[in-house]
Amino acid sequence: MGKKRILSGNRPTGKLHLGNYVGALENWVRLQNEYECFYMVADWHALTSDYADTSAMRGNIDSMVLDWLAAGLDPDICVMFIQSKVKQHAELSLLLSMFVPLPWVERCPTYKEALAQIQDKDLRTHGFLGYPILQAADILIYKADAVPVGEDQLPHLELTREIARRVNFIYGKIFTEPQDILSRVPKLLGTDGRKMSKSYGNCIYLSDDEKTVNEKASLMVTDPARVRRSDKGHPEVCSVFDYHKVFTRERAAEIEQGCRDAALGCVECKKILMASLKTLLEPMRIRREELLKKPDTVRFVIEDGNRRASEAAEKTMIEVREALRLVP
Ligand code: TRP
Ligand code: SF4
């Protein structure tokens, strides 16, 4: 038996921040040696909500893939590709949509939430309703055994399995039901304690230089009740401590105690965090420097990835067309 297969994707949101890293990319890097991995830029998925202004798309794709490579995804062992360059995803999405009862997509929690929360875009479109069907096609077309994702994507994965079961029930076993591989950190908040988001300006980016990271870390919100150095702190309400739990794991207990006893000051505590972030980001900086010296690298990686992904996707589509008695 060969290696098990993984597919995962990210909408091209541009340069990646620490939340993106611990929410997905960290897992992707870790899994690439163990599995045959397909990592996809979900540009069609970006269009489902951002169809009215696509001016940032190309730049966002390039900076995201650059971050992938800098973070350690190795193009020799994993396939990195662009969804819209593998047209079979659209074909399979269309075919799957024939099988999906409307209520399955209408009651999807991510769909209902987006409709309720997002006011500045009209999301009452066919494409946005079909978001999880396209995602199911992304996964099923590679017969992926597993999908590394964050918790927010679990409803989409459940729907993917339901669709796979339904088609398999009617047409015989074509698709594999994928398992989820959850990331170690469900959600990393921004430096101000709110949801980490570009629009809040509270992100630390993987491509930030050391000075920028240190400035952002030094401005992080801490326990508001700890006014003087001699006050005892409450790490559970401090965003610096939240970061320590993720980036200084092995010393988190000691830091927590130091904060509670007022043995550790906030300035010192932030310095420890700066060092942890440097350990994580410095190798990425070095790789990024190397990549920027060879500006065609990203393009070559993607072209090769598109080719390898197309080959794998077409193999499944031959089976699907035959099962549905479509003209081969
Ligand atoms: N919906 C995913 C997100 O917003 C992106 C995505 C598209 C994806 N296709 C996928 C993730 C297939 C996993 C598998 O993050
Ligand atoms: Fe937060 Fe650290 Fe200050 Fe405690 S010592 S309040 S954990 S910054």
Side-chain angles (χ1 to χ4, degrees):
M1 264 279 284
K3 284 184 176 173
K4 288 197 169 186
R5 198 179 262 184
I6 273 183
L7 174 287
S8 197
N10 242 180
R11 278 167 298 150
T13 49
K15 56 182 182 176
L16 300 177
H17 52 58
L18 287 177
N20 301 129
Y21 180 74
V22 294
L25 189 51
E26 179 186 49
N27 250 352
W28 291 15
V29 174
R30 187 174 58 78
L31 293 163
Q32 62 181 344
N33 296 303
E34 216 179 306
Y35 291 84
E36 181 189 8
C37 294
F38 290 81
Y39 295 133
M40 175 186 82
V41 179
D43 56 342
W44 278 336
H45 275 111
L47 278 184
T48 61
S49 52
D50 295 342
Y51 55 85
D53 179 8
T54 58
S55 52
M57 180 83 91
R58 290 287 194 89
N60 282 350
I61 293 175
D62 288 344
S63 40
M64 188 166 82
V65 176
L66 185 63
D67 276 337
W68 286 1
L69 296 173
L73 287 186
D74 178 351
D76 288 333
I77 54 178
C78 62
V79 179
M80 287 170 258
F81 70 100
I82 314 248
Q83 185 182 37
S84 68
K85 294 301 286 182
V86 184
K87 314 290 179 199
Q88 289 88 340
H89 288 233
E91 184 185 355
L92 184 58
S93 180
L94 174 79
L95 295 176
L96 295 180
S97 76
M98 311 298 173
F99 295 80
V100 178
L102 264 186
W104 287 14
V105 276
E106 282 169 340
R107 68 169 180 238
C108 183
T110 53
Y111 179 67
K112 289 197 292 189
E113 253 165 57
L115 281 193
Q117 280 174 13
I118 298 174
Q119 308 295 345
D120 57 332
K121 299 169 198 164
D122 184 3
L123 296 182
R124 302 206 49 91
T125 61
H126 187 209
F128 191 66
L129 179 67
Y131 187 110
I133 305 181
L134 178 58
Q135 186 164 346
D138 298 336
I139 299 166
L140 297 177
I141 207 163
Y142 299 101
K143 303 190 183 204
D145 300 286
V147 184
V149 281
E151 241 166 25
D152 61 313
Q153 295 296 312
L154 290 181
H156 296 162
L157 222 55
E158 189 53 45
L159 190 71
T160 301
R161 289 190 284 265
E162 275 168 333
I163 295 174
R165 278 198 287 276
R166 190 170 169 96
V167 177
N168 286 350
F169 179 73
I170 307 176
Y171 284 100
K173 195 169 171 359
I174 303 176
F175 296 125
T176 305
E177 285 185 41
Q179 297 307 303
D180 51 83
I181 300 179
L182 281 182
S183 16
R184 122 183 119 92
V185 184
K187 198 158 253 156
L188 185 73
L189 295 175
T191 48
D192 58 0
R194 294 188 294 169
K195 176 179 159 28
M196 191 183 292
S197 157
K198 280 198 176 140
S199 45
Y200 291 160
N202 61 1
C203 310
I204 296 177
Y205 293 97
L206 302 185
S207 48
D208 281 344
D209 59 28
E210 187 179 352
K211 186 163 159 276
T212 309
V213 172
N214 290 351
E215 270 163 21
K216 289 179 178 178
S218 66
L219 292 172
M220 281 178 83
V221 284
T222 56
D223 172 7
R226 192 171 186 199
V227 185
R228 271 160 287 136
R229 169 68 181 78
S230 53
D231 294 339
K232 292 186 173 176
H234 305 84
E236 67 279 4
V237 297
C238 176
S239 30
V240 177
F241 187 63
D242 276 340
Y243 278 52
H244 277 307
K245 282 190 285 188
V246 177
F247 301 108
T248 323
R249 249 186 312 175
E250 54 313 327
R251 290 182 61 194
E254 168 204 332
I255 292 168
E256 177 171 13
Q257 200 54 49
C259 172
R260 287 195 198 288
D261 300 342
L264 177 69
C266 292
V267 173
E268 189 60 26
C269 184
K270 284 177 170 176
K271 285 217 172 101
I272 301 173
L273 181 61
M274 291 174 199
S276 303
L277 293 178
K278 182 169 180 180
T279 307
L280 174 71
L281 297 175
E282 196 61 23
M284 298 191 201
R285 290 184 188 122
I286 294 167
R287 268 193 295 266
R288 179 176 292 103
E289 282 300 306
E290 286 305 309
L291 287 161
L292 290 173
K293 282 187 209 150
K294 298 173 279 176
D296 286 333
T297 309
V298 170
R299 191 166 54 82
F300 290 147
V301 165
I302 289 297
E303 279 170 6
D304 184 53
N306 291 344
R307 195 180 42 71
R308 286 152 75 189
S310 299
E311 242 174 66
E314 179 60 16
K315 231 170 122 183
T316 304
M317 286 317 294
I318 289 173
E319 250 184 277
V320 171
R321 291 181 206 118
E322 193 175 286
L324 299 190
R325 312 269 199 292
L326 293 167
V327 180

